[in-house]
Amino acid sequence: FRSVTGVQTCALPIFGLMGAKITAARENFPPLTIHGTTLNGIDYELPVASAQVKSAVLLAGLLAEGETVVAEPVATRDHTEIALTRFGAAIARAPRRVMVRGGQALKGQRLEVPGDLSSAAFMICAALVLPNSNIFLQSVGLNPTRTELLDFLASIGAKIQILNLNDGGGELVGDLHISNEGGVALAGARIEGAMVAGLIDELPVLAILGSQSKDGLELRDAKELRVKETDRIETVAQNLRRMGGRIETLPDGFNIPGQQKLKGAEVDSFGDHRIAMAFAVAELVAEGETRIKDAGAAVVSYPGFYDDLARVSE
């Protein structure tokens, strides 16, 4: 298969440790050639926190001989572990360690998938930058490994209520009420350390929110952003500057001053869904018209995004 974004396939060396025979075109980038072979369980410690890589290794471990153990530097999102348990797999869990035994048979299940909090983040931030907003988001997944966003926003003054909380088959689900009556700017903040893993997908739109906060946003310890669908530190910076914004980039983050007045401009998603959606939120507070090149990239994770955003901003 071929990558549509050119993202480095960082899990390839791990699969090699399991006995997989995979060759890449150059420097572990797609296109890939995968040769069928027997896999062996491994005990692997992730060098950086990544729920995606953890999940990939656990899924491979289901087909491997013996046990596969994944250790992570900080706890990351655990949807895969919950889903595998629902499908009948025996998963052993300890703080920052997960083990799966190979050769287990899974049984089909009927599941209800809640709304994605990372997608909801764009609507939440849109409401928080628009004065006198008052919106409800129904049936949002509130898995505790995902709610760092809500904790962070509450810490800087956002008014968010959780309603109708229930256990949706192993995953907590609830409704969110977000209000911004009076249009009071949120406080500034610094995101670093263990917080980063819990906010990694939301950081592009939090950058926009930070530009409208009282004291801005500082981000550290987020080198992973440079190897997402795009180098999200750089693509955020390029687009924010096109809109007249100020940002200082760092190898592992950025500094964004607060209380900025943005101007409409032509920006570029660079094919990255979260960059497209983040700057659609920026457009709401910019003076003049903004055009997003390759805005359709949002369909990757949120096909109805622009229609929903229009409803929020009415």
Side-chain angles (χ1 to χ4, degrees):
F1 59 89
R2 293 179 179 273
S3 166
V4 296
T5 60
V7 177
Q8 187 174 19
T9 49
C10 58
L12 289 186
I14 307 172
F15 295 142
L17 294 175
M18 301 180 79
K21 296 180 181 179
I22 305 174
T23 55
R26 58 181 180 85
E27 298 178 354
N28 290 336
F29 282 81
L32 309 177
T33 303
I34 303 170
H35 307 273
T37 187
T38 301
L39 300 180
N40 302 306
I42 58 171
D43 192 327
Y44 186 77
E45 184 170 348
L46 291 170
V48 296
S50 172
Q52 290 93 336
V53 175
K54 174 183 68 173
S55 295
V57 176
L58 290 175
L59 291 170
L62 280 175
L63 300 176
E65 294 183 349
E67 294 180 347
T68 295
V69 179
V70 181
E72 48 189 354
V74 298
T76 61
R77 297 165 181 184
D78 64 355
H79 301 295
T80 300
E81 295 95 304
I82 291 173
L84 288 176
T85 300
R86 287 291 307 279
F87 280 92
I91 304 290
R93 304 175 68 179
R96 298 195 297 277
R97 289 178 70 83
V98 187
M99 186 277 287
V100 63
R101 187 180 69 257
Q104 298 187 63
L106 304 184
K107 298 179 180 179
Q109 300 291 325
R110 183 178 179 86
L111 306 176
E112 290 189 15
V113 180
D116 177 44
L117 185 56
S118 292
S119 295
F122 296 95
M123 300 304 153
I124 294 170
C125 289
L128 294 175
V129 298
L130 291 173
N132 302 313
S133 295
N134 187 45
I135 68 169
F136 287 87
L137 302 175
Q138 295 180 311
S139 299
V140 178
L142 298 176
N143 180 309
T145 64
R146 298 293 299 274
T147 52
E148 182 78 40
L149 172 68
L150 302 182
D151 294 339
F152 170 74
L153 292 175
S155 75
I156 61 175
K159 295 180 180 179
I160 302 175
Q161 291 180 294
I162 299 175
L163 308 171
N164 303 320
L165 187 65
N166 66 89
D167 185 340
E171 294 274 12
L172 288 177
V173 180
D175 302 334
L176 299 178
H177 175 216
I178 305 97
S179 63
N180 185 19
E181 296 179 3
V184 178
L186 301 177
R190 182 182 177 99
I191 298 173
E192 60 185 345
M195 294 175 65
V196 173
L199 295 170
I200 194 70
D201 289 334
E202 293 76 45
L203 291 172
V205 74
L206 290 178
I208 305 305
L209 187 64
S211 75
Q212 303 304 299
S213 67
K214 292 179 182 178
D215 303 307
L217 178 68
E218 296 183 39
L219 174 65
R220 300 290 186 278
D221 305 320
K223 287 183 180 179
E224 186 185 347
L225 278 186
R226 292 202 177 271
V227 289
K228 289 290 190 178
E229 284 85 337
T230 59
D231 176 343
R232 287 180 175 165
I233 293 173
E234 185 59 30
T235 50
V236 164
Q238 284 189 33
N239 285 329
L240 195 59
R241 288 169 180 153
R242 291 179 187 182
M243 299 183 78
R246 290 169 289 140
I247 179 173
E248 174 192 5
T249 61
L250 304 164
D252 65 344
F254 48 65
N255 291 326
I256 298 177
Q259 303 184 63
Q260 298 195 47
K261 292 184 178 180
L262 303 181
K263 298 180 181 179
E266 182 171 313
V267 298
D268 196 333
S269 76
F270 299 95
D272 187 332
H273 57 136
R274 299 199 192 279
I275 297 299
M277 292 187 285
F279 281 89
V281 173
E283 179 182 11
L284 300 180
V285 295
E287 180 182 341
E289 182 180 77
T290 294
R291 295 184 178 182
I292 303 174
K293 184 179 179 180
D294 198 5
V299 75
V300 168
S301 60
Y302 197 157
F305 171 73
Y306 294 106
D307 289 339
D308 288 349
L309 186 66
R311 291 169 60 194
V312 170
S313 58
E314 287 178 352

